[in-house]
Amino acid sequence: MEAIKDASHLYEVERRAEHTARPGFRITELELSAKQKVPWHYHNNVADTFYVLQVSCHFPAAPKEEVRLRPGETFTAAARRPHL
């Protein structure tokens, strides 16, 4: 898998908002419908931290691992760890 600077054109979400960004740090909010998902990917040098605002969700975080989160809970996918 080769790194892509911005893959937002590869998948559809209900809403996308970037709240802040600086070198090495970014906060982006994605709102997904029940039928939408971000495709499998990983990041070479950064971690993705997920924070659930509303409703519970579940998603695969590595092949054969499923993460379940409720509102207020977080999960971090470390650099090079596949997730969707």
Side-chain angles (χ1 to χ4, degrees), residues 50-55 69-75:
F50 303 89
Y51 182 82
V52 178
L53 298 175
Q54 299 175 11
V55 303
L69 298 174
R70 294 181 300 207
E73 294 182 325
T74 64
F75 171 77

Side-chain angles (χ1 to χ4, degrees), residues 40-44 46-48 50 60-63 65-67 75-84:
W40 278 105
H41 67 285
Y42 70 90
H43 310 278
N44 290 322
V46 299
D48 262 352
F50 303 89
E65 180 185 355
E66 185 159 308
V67 174
F75 171 77
T76 299
R80 297 198 146 301
R81 182 176 186 181
H83 57 281
L84 69 92

Side-chain angles (χ1 to χ4, degrees), residues 12-17 19 29-33 36 53:
E12 184 179 316
V13 297
E14 292 292 316
R15 187 173 63 83
R16 180 187 318 270
H19 295 288
E29 179 182 355
L30 299 179
E31 182 178 339
L32 287 80
S33 74
Q36 293 172 324
L53 298 175

